[in-house]
Amino acid sequence: MAGAKPTAGIIIIGDEILKGHTADTNSHFLCKELYTLGVKVEKISVVGDDLQVISQEIAKFSSTFTHVITSGGIGPTHDDLTLEGVAMAFKEELYLHPEIEAACKKYFGNDLSPDSPHLKMAKVPQSTRLLYGVNQKTGAKHDYPLVSVNNVFVFPGIPSLLERAFHSLKDQLFASSGITFHVREVYLSEHELKVVDILNKFNAKYKDTVPLGSYPEWHNSYYKLKLILESGDEELIESAHSELISMLHEYIVHYQKDPVSVAPEQVYAIGGILNSGGHFSTAVGNAINTIERALDQYTLEEICVGFNGGKDCTALLHMYYAVVKRKFPDYKGHLQVLYVEAPTFPEIDTFISQSVKRYNLKTLTVHGRMKEALSDLKKKHPELKAVLMGTRRTDPYSASLSEFSPTDKDWPEYMRVNPMLEWSYHDVWQFIRQLYVPYCRLYDQGYTSLGSKTHTDPNPSLRYTNEYGQTAYKPAWMLENGLDERSGRNPLSPK
């Protein structure tokens, strides 16, 4: 039964979910939103289009949880049975609600007969309450209401409609709980078996007041285990969090979950006016200065970043984003990146797609060898005048370059801007790792320089035999001699 702390049960309705025809995203959305409102979701059920099963589940959930949310099954077809199931759960009859009938006729037309499929959505249980959301932008009342019976809220199954309805009604329905869940996250450099005794000791003390969740992470470049603490008592969770940090101090990773949002502050802290000297901070400071000079000469429409998913251009893109946000804080548009499409690793394609979303990028895609690709770019985007490159002095054919180097006379005319010329291999990795910048996962598998898939291998300098007697590779940032960077690239690989 409902207690002092509000709870919720979610019922996802539809054969299409159980058959795998449609992926359920609604339960994830609802759990996340309800948690922020202080409502604990205790159970999620997925049921098919079976009237008896739907009604039984609604009745059971209604007597168990403070709130019940259903999703799906409220359309005009034969397999839309949710409203009928709610009525059966509470032993009520359906009737044609005049307000919903009017809304349906406004949308579908006035010449609807009472048995029209379009009016099936207007037939609701007798004790129905109608809840009208408000458009968050205009303040206008929504035309179509949400049906509520007792503690059951009947939401649509289409994710965009469910999310719109929830956002417009959440304060009205759930914000009165007065409860806030406080959450603290801890990131560790080791897997669970290494710290299980410590976690058990902590849990024995706090299990009834500060629940501890332990979540292994196999593909993150910076941590191996995430711990989550939660409590309704902020003072208690602060104390417990501090105690856990102390118990696990040698394994703590000060992970930055969203390095992009803090990029301007962090990048300038290393290389801007706050830098304390030294080779690395000087290298970053000079790169910032070069990017700033480029933005003084070219508009954001006239400049782009050469981006192929490699480590150098990943560091450059993060810097460029930071400088743009510092220089143009109100700019909300896309940053442009140039991608020369070529056969490559699927991991690179995945990383590039993730980066496009992460940095809000517009990708200018061209094909073929570089000279032909730039000619194609000139035709498609004549406004483009400069390309920021992640080139370093030790790269092939780069010894004579300067920070601003125009293309050769027989090439399409562009200004190549090279902010990282004087960076070393280890500078690149220090920048990425220090700021927790996401990078292509191939670098965690021993690759140190990425070319074509057929001519690029893990770096033999990083090869070792693991505890199971298997050949493995250390991550790229552990390469001791930066001059061995290209040891995994055979001579046929393009530069």
Side-chain angles (χ1 to χ4, degrees), residues 99-100 103 106 130-146 155-156 160-170 172:
E99 285 187 45
I100 309 179
K106 180 179 178 181
L130 300 185
L131 304 170
Y132 287 90
V134 175
N135 187 299
Q136 293 177 304
K137 293 183 179 179
T138 66
K141 187 175 76 170
H142 287 163
D143 292 333
Y144 199 85
L146 184 81
F155 280 83
S160 60
L161 298 182
L162 179 142
E163 291 172 19
R164 186 184 76 164
F166 187 92
H167 283 307
S168 69
L169 288 165
K170 63 180 182 180
Q172 178 182 342

PDB file of all heavy atoms in Angstrom, residues 99-100 103 106 130-146 155-156 160-170 172:
ATOM      1  N   GLU A  99     -16.765  16.081 -23.361  1.00  0.00           N
ATOM      2  CA  GLU A  99     -15.605  16.943 -23.634  1.00  0.00           C
ATOM      3  C   GLU A  99     -14.623  16.280 -24.596  1.00  0.00           C
ATOM      4  O   GLU A  99     -14.104  16.912 -25.513  1.00  0.00           O
ATOM      5  CB  GLU A  99     -14.886  17.292 -22.326  1.00  0.00           C
ATOM      6  CG  GLU A  99     -15.599  18.314 -21.482  1.00  0.00           C
ATOM      7  CD  GLU A  99     -14.757  18.735 -20.286  1.00  0.00           C
ATOM      8  OE1 GLU A  99     -13.540  18.982 -20.460  1.00  0.00           O
ATOM      9  OE2 GLU A  99     -15.312  18.800 -19.173  1.00  0.00           O
ATOM     10  N   ILE A 100     -14.371  14.973 -24.389  1.00  0.00           N
ATOM     11  CA  ILE A 100     -13.457  14.267 -25.298  1.00  0.00           C
ATOM     12  C   ILE A 100     -14.131  14.082 -26.655  1.00  0.00           C
ATOM     13  O   ILE A 100     -13.477  14.165 -27.701  1.00  0.00           O
ATOM     14  CB  ILE A 100     -13.033  12.909 -24.711  1.00  0.00           C
ATOM     15  CG1 ILE A 100     -12.521  13.061 -23.281  1.00  0.00           C
ATOM     16  CG2 ILE A 100     -11.942  12.289 -25.578  1.00  0.00           C
ATOM     17  CD1 ILE A 100     -12.099  11.760 -22.631  1.00  0.00           C
ATOM     18  N   ALA A 103     -13.594  17.187 -28.529  1.00  0.00           N
ATOM     19  CA  ALA A 103     -12.209  17.305 -28.984  1.00  0.00           C
ATOM     20  C   ALA A 103     -11.965  16.413 -30.200  1.00  0.00           C
ATOM     21  O   ALA A 103     -11.272  16.810 -31.156  1.00  0.00           O
ATOM     22  CB  ALA A 103     -11.249  16.928 -27.850  1.00  0.00           C
ATOM     23  N   LYS A 106     -13.621  17.962 -33.209  1.00  0.00           N
ATOM     24  CA  LYS A 106     -12.866  19.133 -33.664  1.00  0.00           C
ATOM     25  C   LYS A 106     -11.701  18.697 -34.534  1.00  0.00           C
ATOM     26  O   LYS A 106     -11.331  19.374 -35.497  1.00  0.00           O
ATOM     27  CB  LYS A 106     -12.372  19.912 -32.443  1.00  0.00           C
ATOM     28  CG  LYS A 106     -11.575  21.159 -32.799  1.00  0.00           C
ATOM     29  CD  LYS A 106     -11.123  21.899 -31.544  1.00  0.00           C
ATOM     30  CE  LYS A 106     -10.289  23.130 -31.910  1.00  0.00           C
ATOM     31  NZ  LYS A 106      -9.807  23.855 -30.688  1.00  0.00           N
ATOM     32  N   LEU A 130     -10.698  14.501 -16.072  1.00  0.00           N
ATOM     33  CA  LEU A 130      -9.923  14.972 -17.218  1.00  0.00           C
ATOM     34  C   LEU A 130      -8.887  15.995 -16.749  1.00  0.00           C
ATOM     35  O   LEU A 130      -9.217  16.939 -16.013  1.00  0.00           O
ATOM     36  CB  LEU A 130     -10.830  15.598 -18.277  1.00  0.00           C
ATOM     37  CG  LEU A 130     -11.913  14.683 -18.864  1.00  0.00           C
ATOM     38  CD1 LEU A 130     -12.640  15.403 -19.991  1.00  0.00           C
ATOM     39  CD2 LEU A 130     -11.315  13.379 -19.370  1.00  0.00           C
ATOM     40  N   LEU A 131      -7.670  15.794 -17.161  1.00  0.00           N
ATOM     41  CA  LEU A 131      -6.567  16.678 -16.772  1.00  0.00           C
ATOM     42  C   LEU A 131      -5.994  17.319 -18.023  1.00  0.00           C
ATOM     43  O   LEU A 131      -5.524  16.627 -18.931  1.00  0.00           O
ATOM     44  CB  LEU A 131      -5.482  15.878 -16.048  1.00  0.00           C
ATOM     45  CG  LEU A 131      -5.947  15.084 -14.822  1.00  0.00           C
ATOM     46  CD1 LEU A 131      -4.834  14.150 -14.349  1.00  0.00           C
ATOM     47  CD2 LEU A 131      -6.359  16.033 -13.707  1.00  0.00           C
ATOM     48  N   TYR A 132      -6.053  18.635 -18.073  1.00  0.00           N
ATOM     49  CA  TYR A 132      -5.568  19.358 -19.242  1.00  0.00           C
ATOM     50  C   TYR A 132      -4.191  19.956 -18.969  1.00  0.00           C
ATOM     51  O   TYR A 132      -4.010  20.728 -18.017  1.00  0.00           O
ATOM     52  CB  TYR A 132      -6.530  20.480 -19.630  1.00  0.00           C
ATOM     53  CG  TYR A 132      -7.811  19.983 -20.267  1.00  0.00           C
ATOM     54  CD1 TYR A 132      -8.928  19.680 -19.487  1.00  0.00           C
ATOM     55  CD2 TYR A 132      -7.895  19.815 -21.642  1.00  0.00           C
ATOM     56  CE1 TYR A 132     -10.105  19.223 -20.069  1.00  0.00           C
ATOM     57  CE2 TYR A 132      -9.067  19.348 -22.232  1.00  0.00           C
ATOM     58  CZ  TYR A 132     -10.166  19.064 -21.447  1.00  0.00           C
ATOM     59  OH  TYR A 132     -11.323  18.605 -22.022  1.00  0.00           O
ATOM     60  N   GLY A 133      -3.249  19.571 -19.789  1.00  0.00           N
ATOM     61  CA  GLY A 133      -1.927  20.163 -19.686  1.00  0.00           C
ATOM     62  C   GLY A 133      -1.887  21.527 -20.343  1.00  0.00           C
ATOM     63  O   GLY A 133      -2.811  21.931 -21.052  1.00  0.00           O
ATOM     64  N   VAL A 134      -0.775  22.214 -20.108  1.00  0.00           N
ATOM     65  CA  VAL A 134      -0.597  23.560 -20.656  1.00  0.00           C
ATOM     66  C   VAL A 134       0.663  23.582 -21.509  1.00  0.00           C
ATOM     67  O   VAL A 134       1.701  23.053 -21.103  1.00  0.00           O
ATOM     68  CB  VAL A 134      -0.486  24.603 -19.519  1.00  0.00           C
ATOM     69  CG1 VAL A 134      -0.186  25.985 -20.097  1.00  0.00           C
ATOM     70  CG2 VAL A 134      -1.772  24.641 -18.717  1.00  0.00           C
ATOM     71  N   ASN A 135       0.560  24.166 -22.690  1.00  0.00           N
ATOM     72  CA  ASN A 135       1.718  24.317 -23.563  1.00  0.00           C
ATOM     73  C   ASN A 135       2.782  25.130 -22.842  1.00  0.00           C
ATOM     74  O   ASN A 135       2.524  26.272 -22.422  1.00  0.00           O
ATOM     75  CB  ASN A 135       1.315  25.002 -24.868  1.00  0.00           C
ATOM     76  CG  ASN A 135       2.442  25.027 -25.882  1.00  0.00           C
ATOM     77  OD1 ASN A 135       3.496  25.603 -25.638  1.00  0.00           O
ATOM     78  ND2 ASN A 135       2.210  24.433 -27.040  1.00  0.00           N
ATOM     79  N   GLN A 136       3.976  24.557 -22.703  1.00  0.00           N
ATOM     80  CA  GLN A 136       5.013  25.205 -21.903  1.00  0.00           C
ATOM     81  C   GLN A 136       5.548  26.475 -22.538  1.00  0.00           C
ATOM     82  O   GLN A 136       6.090  27.334 -21.851  1.00  0.00           O
ATOM     83  CB  GLN A 136       6.163  24.216 -21.666  1.00  0.00           C
ATOM     84  CG  GLN A 136       5.758  23.042 -20.778  1.00  0.00           C
ATOM     85  CD  GLN A 136       6.863  22.041 -20.594  1.00  0.00           C
ATOM     86  OE1 GLN A 136       7.403  21.512 -21.558  1.00  0.00           O
ATOM     87  NE2 GLN A 136       7.214  21.779 -19.355  1.00  0.00           N
ATOM     88  N   LYS A 137       5.395  26.605 -23.847  1.00  0.00           N
ATOM     89  CA  LYS A 137       5.900  27.803 -24.532  1.00  0.00           C
ATOM     90  C   LYS A 137       4.849  28.904 -24.607  1.00  0.00           C
ATOM     91  O   LYS A 137       5.147  30.075 -24.376  1.00  0.00           O
ATOM     92  CB  LYS A 137       6.377  27.432 -25.938  1.00  0.00           C
ATOM     93  CG  LYS A 137       7.606  26.539 -25.955  1.00  0.00           C
ATOM     94  CD  LYS A 137       8.065  26.271 -27.382  1.00  0.00           C
ATOM     95  CE  LYS A 137       9.319  25.403 -27.399  1.00  0.00           C
ATOM     96  NZ  LYS A 137       9.764  25.117 -28.801  1.00  0.00           N
ATOM     97  N   THR A 138       3.599  28.521 -24.953  1.00  0.00           N
ATOM     98  CA  THR A 138       2.562  29.536 -25.175  1.00  0.00           C
ATOM     99  C   THR A 138       1.656  29.753 -23.972  1.00  0.00           C
ATOM    100  O   THR A 138       0.992  30.785 -23.873  1.00  0.00           O
ATOM    101  CB  THR A 138       1.695  29.133 -26.373  1.00  0.00           C
ATOM    102  OG1 THR A 138       0.962  27.932 -26.044  1.00  0.00           O
ATOM    103  CG2 THR A 138       2.558  28.876 -27.609  1.00  0.00           C
ATOM    104  N   GLY A 139       1.599  28.772 -23.067  1.00  0.00           N
ATOM    105  CA  GLY A 139       0.697  28.873 -21.928  1.00  0.00           C
ATOM    106  C   GLY A 139      -0.730  28.466 -22.247  1.00  0.00           C
ATOM    107  O   GLY A 139      -1.605  28.492 -21.377  1.00  0.00           O
ATOM    108  N   ALA A 140      -0.981  28.073 -23.502  1.00  0.00           N
ATOM    109  CA  ALA A 140      -2.331  27.682 -23.909  1.00  0.00           C
ATOM    110  C   ALA A 140      -2.651  26.266 -23.431  1.00  0.00           C
ATOM    111  O   ALA A 140      -1.783  25.396 -23.390  1.00  0.00           O
ATOM    112  CB  ALA A 140      -2.462  27.758 -25.428  1.00  0.00           C
ATOM    113  N   LYS A 141      -3.928  26.037 -23.090  1.00  0.00           N
ATOM    114  CA  LYS A 141      -4.364  24.720 -22.639  1.00  0.00           C
ATOM    115  C   LYS A 141      -4.382  23.756 -23.816  1.00  0.00           C
ATOM    116  O   LYS A 141      -4.794  24.102 -24.935  1.00  0.00           O
ATOM    117  CB  LYS A 141      -5.763  24.818 -22.017  1.00  0.00           C
ATOM    118  CG  LYS A 141      -6.234  23.518 -21.371  1.00  0.00           C
ATOM    119  CD  LYS A 141      -7.579  23.711 -20.675  1.00  0.00           C
ATOM    120  CE  LYS A 141      -8.707  23.771 -21.672  1.00  0.00           C
ATOM    121  NZ  LYS A 141     -10.040  23.714 -21.003  1.00  0.00           N
ATOM    122  N   HIS A 142      -3.904  22.541 -23.597  1.00  0.00           N
ATOM    123  CA  HIS A 142      -3.933  21.525 -24.639  1.00  0.00           C
ATOM    124  C   HIS A 142      -5.375  21.183 -25.015  1.00  0.00           C
ATOM    125  O   HIS A 142      -6.273  21.204 -24.165  1.00  0.00           O
ATOM    126  CB  HIS A 142      -3.202  20.265 -24.186  1.00  0.00           C
ATOM    127  CG  HIS A 142      -1.718  20.414 -24.152  1.00  0.00           C
ATOM    128  ND1 HIS A 142      -0.883  19.555 -23.460  1.00  0.00           N
ATOM    129  CD2 HIS A 142      -0.892  21.326 -24.727  1.00  0.00           C
ATOM    130  CE1 HIS A 142       0.375  19.928 -23.610  1.00  0.00           C
ATOM    131  NE2 HIS A 142       0.390  20.999 -24.371  1.00  0.00           N
ATOM    132  N   ASP A 143      -5.578  20.846 -26.272  1.00  0.00           N
ATOM    133  CA  ASP A 143      -6.918  20.529 -26.752  1.00  0.00           C
ATOM    134  C   ASP A 143      -7.410  19.187 -26.225  1.00  0.00           C
ATOM    135  O   ASP A 143      -8.610  19.013 -25.987  1.00  0.00           O
ATOM    136  CB  ASP A 143      -6.936  20.495 -28.284  1.00  0.00           C
ATOM    137  CG  ASP A 143      -6.733  21.873 -28.899  1.00  0.00           C
ATOM    138  OD1 ASP A 143      -7.076  22.868 -28.234  1.00  0.00           O
ATOM    139  OD2 ASP A 143      -6.223  21.949 -30.033  1.00  0.00           O
ATOM    140  N   TYR A 144      -6.496  18.241 -26.044  1.00  0.00           N
ATOM    141  CA  TYR A 144      -6.912  16.898 -25.659  1.00  0.00           C
ATOM    142  C   TYR A 144      -6.438  16.592 -24.239  1.00  0.00           C
ATOM    143  O   TYR A 144      -5.273  16.800 -23.907  1.00  0.00           O
ATOM    144  CB  TYR A 144      -6.357  15.855 -26.636  1.00  0.00           C
ATOM    145  CG  TYR A 144      -7.093  14.545 -26.593  1.00  0.00           C
ATOM    146  CD1 TYR A 144      -8.242  14.348 -27.339  1.00  0.00           C
ATOM    147  CD2 TYR A 144      -6.658  13.510 -25.769  1.00  0.00           C
ATOM    148  CE1 TYR A 144      -8.942  13.153 -27.297  1.00  0.00           C
ATOM    149  CE2 TYR A 144      -7.349  12.301 -25.716  1.00  0.00           C
ATOM    150  CZ  TYR A 144      -8.486  12.133 -26.477  1.00  0.00           C
ATOM    151  OH  TYR A 144      -9.177  10.950 -26.406  1.00  0.00           O
ATOM    152  N   PRO A 145      -7.322  16.090 -23.393  1.00  0.00           N
ATOM    153  CA  PRO A 145      -6.970  15.876 -21.986  1.00  0.00           C
ATOM    154  C   PRO A 145      -6.344  14.507 -21.726  1.00  0.00           C
ATOM    155  O   PRO A 145      -6.415  13.592 -22.550  1.00  0.00           O
ATOM    156  CB  PRO A 145      -8.324  15.961 -21.284  1.00  0.00           C
ATOM    157  CG  PRO A 145      -9.277  15.373 -22.291  1.00  0.00           C
ATOM    158  CD  PRO A 145      -8.756  15.804 -23.649  1.00  0.00           C
ATOM    159  N   LEU A 146      -5.759  14.380 -20.544  1.00  0.00           N
ATOM    160  CA  LEU A 146      -5.294  13.092 -20.049  1.00  0.00           C
ATOM    161  C   LEU A 146      -6.403  12.493 -19.189  1.00  0.00           C
ATOM    162  O   LEU A 146      -6.999  13.187 -18.355  1.00  0.00           O
ATOM    163  CB  LEU A 146      -4.029  13.266 -19.214  1.00  0.00           C
ATOM    164  CG  LEU A 146      -3.379  11.976 -18.696  1.00  0.00           C
ATOM    165  CD1 LEU A 146      -2.531  11.354 -19.803  1.00  0.00           C
ATOM    166  CD2 LEU A 146      -2.520  12.254 -17.470  1.00  0.00           C
ATOM    167  N   PHE A 155      -1.682   7.410 -20.120  1.00  0.00           N
ATOM    168  CA  PHE A 155      -0.868   8.169 -21.067  1.00  0.00           C
ATOM    169  C   PHE A 155      -0.843   7.490 -22.434  1.00  0.00           C
ATOM    170  O   PHE A 155      -1.001   6.263 -22.529  1.00  0.00           O
ATOM    171  CB  PHE A 155       0.570   8.295 -20.555  1.00  0.00           C
ATOM    172  CG  PHE A 155       0.764   9.367 -19.521  1.00  0.00           C
ATOM    173  CD1 PHE A 155       0.484   9.126 -18.186  1.00  0.00           C
ATOM    174  CD2 PHE A 155       1.227  10.631 -19.890  1.00  0.00           C
ATOM    175  CE1 PHE A 155       0.667  10.116 -17.228  1.00  0.00           C
ATOM    176  CE2 PHE A 155       1.411  11.627 -18.944  1.00  0.00           C
ATOM    177  CZ  PHE A 155       1.137  11.371 -17.613  1.00  0.00           C
ATOM    178  N   PRO A 156      -0.620   8.262 -23.485  1.00  0.00           N
ATOM    179  CA  PRO A 156      -0.480   7.656 -24.817  1.00  0.00           C
ATOM    180  C   PRO A 156       0.810   6.846 -24.921  1.00  0.00           C
ATOM    181  O   PRO A 156       1.731   7.009 -24.109  1.00  0.00           O
ATOM    182  CB  PRO A 156      -0.446   8.871 -25.758  1.00  0.00           C
ATOM    183  CG  PRO A 156       0.011  10.003 -24.909  1.00  0.00           C
ATOM    184  CD  PRO A 156      -0.516   9.722 -23.527  1.00  0.00           C
ATOM    185  N   SER A 160       6.647  10.811 -28.151  1.00  0.00           N
ATOM    186  CA  SER A 160       6.590  12.273 -28.207  1.00  0.00           C
ATOM    187  C   SER A 160       5.333  12.807 -27.539  1.00  0.00           C
ATOM    188  O   SER A 160       5.368  13.852 -26.864  1.00  0.00           O
ATOM    189  CB  SER A 160       6.669  12.754 -29.655  1.00  0.00           C
ATOM    190  OG  SER A 160       5.586  12.242 -30.421  1.00  0.00           O
ATOM    191  N   LEU A 161       4.201  12.100 -27.713  1.00  0.00           N
ATOM    192  CA  LEU A 161       2.951  12.536 -27.087  1.00  0.00           C
ATOM    193  C   LEU A 161       2.981  12.298 -25.583  1.00  0.00           C
ATOM    194  O   LEU A 161       2.503  13.130 -24.806  1.00  0.00           O
ATOM    195  CB  LEU A 161       1.767  11.794 -27.715  1.00  0.00           C
ATOM    196  CG  LEU A 161       1.535  12.028 -29.214  1.00  0.00           C
ATOM    197  CD1 LEU A 161       0.303  11.261 -29.682  1.00  0.00           C
ATOM    198  CD2 LEU A 161       1.399  13.517 -29.519  1.00  0.00           C
ATOM    199  N   LEU A 162       3.517  11.150 -25.174  1.00  0.00           N
ATOM    200  CA  LEU A 162       3.637  10.877 -23.733  1.00  0.00           C
ATOM    201  C   LEU A 162       4.511  11.920 -23.058  1.00  0.00           C
ATOM    202  O   LEU A 162       4.161  12.448 -21.992  1.00  0.00           O
ATOM    203  CB  LEU A 162       4.197   9.475 -23.518  1.00  0.00           C
ATOM    204  CG  LEU A 162       4.406   9.051 -22.060  1.00  0.00           C
ATOM    205  CD1 LEU A 162       4.051   7.587 -21.857  1.00  0.00           C
ATOM    206  CD2 LEU A 162       5.853   9.280 -21.612  1.00  0.00           C
ATOM    207  N   GLU A 163       5.644  12.232 -23.654  1.00  0.00           N
ATOM    208  CA  GLU A 163       6.573  13.188 -23.046  1.00  0.00           C
ATOM    209  C   GLU A 163       5.967  14.581 -22.968  1.00  0.00           C
ATOM    210  O   GLU A 163       6.126  15.289 -21.975  1.00  0.00           O
ATOM    211  CB  GLU A 163       7.884  13.195 -23.832  1.00  0.00           C
ATOM    212  CG  GLU A 163       8.669  11.898 -23.677  1.00  0.00           C
ATOM    213  CD  GLU A 163       9.875  11.816 -24.596  1.00  0.00           C
ATOM    214  OE1 GLU A 163      10.316  12.868 -25.095  1.00  0.00           O
ATOM    215  OE2 GLU A 163      10.368  10.685 -24.830  1.00  0.00           O
ATOM    216  N   ARG A 164       5.261  14.974 -24.027  1.00  0.00           N
ATOM    217  CA  ARG A 164       4.615  16.284 -23.995  1.00  0.00           C
ATOM    218  C   ARG A 164       3.563  16.347 -22.899  1.00  0.00           C
ATOM    219  O   ARG A 164       3.491  17.324 -22.133  1.00  0.00           O
ATOM    220  CB  ARG A 164       3.976  16.589 -25.353  1.00  0.00           C
ATOM    221  CG  ARG A 164       3.411  18.008 -25.428  1.00  0.00           C
ATOM    222  CD  ARG A 164       2.698  18.265 -26.727  1.00  0.00           C
ATOM    223  NE  ARG A 164       1.380  17.610 -26.742  1.00  0.00           N
ATOM    224  CZ  ARG A 164       0.416  17.919 -27.615  1.00  0.00           C
ATOM    225  NH1 ARG A 164       0.625  18.825 -28.546  1.00  0.00           N
ATOM    226  NH2 ARG A 164      -0.745  17.292 -27.557  1.00  0.00           N
ATOM    227  N   ALA A 165       2.741  15.296 -22.806  1.00  0.00           N
ATOM    228  CA  ALA A 165       1.700  15.272 -21.776  1.00  0.00           C
ATOM    229  C   ALA A 165       2.304  15.262 -20.381  1.00  0.00           C
ATOM    230  O   ALA A 165       1.826  15.963 -19.475  1.00  0.00           O
ATOM    231  CB  ALA A 165       0.797  14.051 -21.986  1.00  0.00           C
ATOM    232  N   PHE A 166       3.357  14.477 -20.195  1.00  0.00           N
ATOM    233  CA  PHE A 166       3.968  14.383 -18.867  1.00  0.00           C
ATOM    234  C   PHE A 166       4.563  15.723 -18.452  1.00  0.00           C
ATOM    235  O   PHE A 166       4.347  16.182 -17.313  1.00  0.00           O
ATOM    236  CB  PHE A 166       5.049  13.303 -18.855  1.00  0.00           C
ATOM    237  CG  PHE A 166       5.601  13.027 -17.488  1.00  0.00           C
ATOM    238  CD1 PHE A 166       5.042  12.036 -16.701  1.00  0.00           C
ATOM    239  CD2 PHE A 166       6.652  13.767 -16.971  1.00  0.00           C
ATOM    240  CE1 PHE A 166       5.533  11.784 -15.420  1.00  0.00           C
ATOM    241  CE2 PHE A 166       7.149  13.532 -15.710  1.00  0.00           C
ATOM    242  CZ  PHE A 166       6.584  12.535 -14.926  1.00  0.00           C
ATOM    243  N   HIS A 167       5.320  16.354 -19.337  1.00  0.00           N
ATOM    244  CA  HIS A 167       5.946  17.632 -18.998  1.00  0.00           C
ATOM    245  C   HIS A 167       4.901  18.693 -18.666  1.00  0.00           C
ATOM    246  O   HIS A 167       5.130  19.548 -17.798  1.00  0.00           O
ATOM    247  CB  HIS A 167       6.830  18.111 -20.149  1.00  0.00           C
ATOM    248  CG  HIS A 167       8.149  17.401 -20.237  1.00  0.00           C
ATOM    249  ND1 HIS A 167       9.002  17.299 -19.162  1.00  0.00           N
ATOM    250  CD2 HIS A 167       8.749  16.758 -21.265  1.00  0.00           C
ATOM    251  CE1 HIS A 167      10.089  16.627 -19.521  1.00  0.00           C
ATOM    252  NE2 HIS A 167       9.960  16.282 -20.783  1.00  0.00           N
ATOM    253  N   SER A 168       3.766  18.635 -19.336  1.00  0.00           N
ATOM    254  CA  SER A 168       2.747  19.663 -19.104  1.00  0.00           C
ATOM    255  C   SER A 168       1.942  19.419 -17.835  1.00  0.00           C
ATOM    256  O   SER A 168       1.276  20.331 -17.336  1.00  0.00           O
ATOM    257  CB  SER A 168       1.801  19.732 -20.307  1.00  0.00           C
ATOM    258  OG  SER A 168       1.002  18.564 -20.398  1.00  0.00           O
ATOM    259  N   LEU A 169       2.012  18.190 -17.294  1.00  0.00           N
ATOM    260  CA  LEU A 169       1.186  17.850 -16.133  1.00  0.00           C
ATOM    261  C   LEU A 169       1.976  17.436 -14.895  1.00  0.00           C
ATOM    262  O   LEU A 169       1.394  17.263 -13.822  1.00  0.00           O
ATOM    263  CB  LEU A 169       0.230  16.707 -16.497  1.00  0.00           C
ATOM    264  CG  LEU A 169      -0.938  17.056 -17.422  1.00  0.00           C
ATOM    265  CD1 LEU A 169      -1.564  15.787 -17.985  1.00  0.00           C
ATOM    266  CD2 LEU A 169      -1.985  17.878 -16.682  1.00  0.00           C
ATOM    267  N   LYS A 170       3.281  17.274 -15.012  1.00  0.00           N
ATOM    268  CA  LYS A 170       4.038  16.662 -13.922  1.00  0.00           C
ATOM    269  C   LYS A 170       3.957  17.456 -12.623  1.00  0.00           C
ATOM    270  O   LYS A 170       3.863  16.865 -11.539  1.00  0.00           O
ATOM    271  CB  LYS A 170       5.493  16.452 -14.329  1.00  0.00           C
ATOM    272  CG  LYS A 170       6.277  17.715 -14.624  1.00  0.00           C
ATOM    273  CD  LYS A 170       7.705  17.376 -15.021  1.00  0.00           C
ATOM    274  CE  LYS A 170       8.536  18.629 -15.269  1.00  0.00           C
ATOM    275  NZ  LYS A 170       9.919  18.297 -15.659  1.00  0.00           N
ATOM    276  N   GLN A 172       1.525  19.324 -11.641  1.00  0.00           N
ATOM    277  CA  GLN A 172       0.168  19.172 -11.140  1.00  0.00           C
ATOM    278  C   GLN A 172      -0.053  17.798 -10.503  1.00  0.00           C
ATOM    279  O   GLN A 172      -0.735  17.670  -9.484  1.00  0.00           O
ATOM    280  CB  GLN A 172      -0.814  19.375 -12.298  1.00  0.00           C
ATOM    281  CG  GLN A 172      -2.277  19.195 -11.951  1.00  0.00           C
ATOM    282  CD  GLN A 172      -3.171  19.375 -13.170  1.00  0.00           C
ATOM    283  OE1 GLN A 172      -2.772  19.943 -14.180  1.00  0.00           O
ATOM    284  NE2 GLN A 172      -4.391  18.876 -13.090  1.00  0.00           N
TER     285      GLN A 172
END
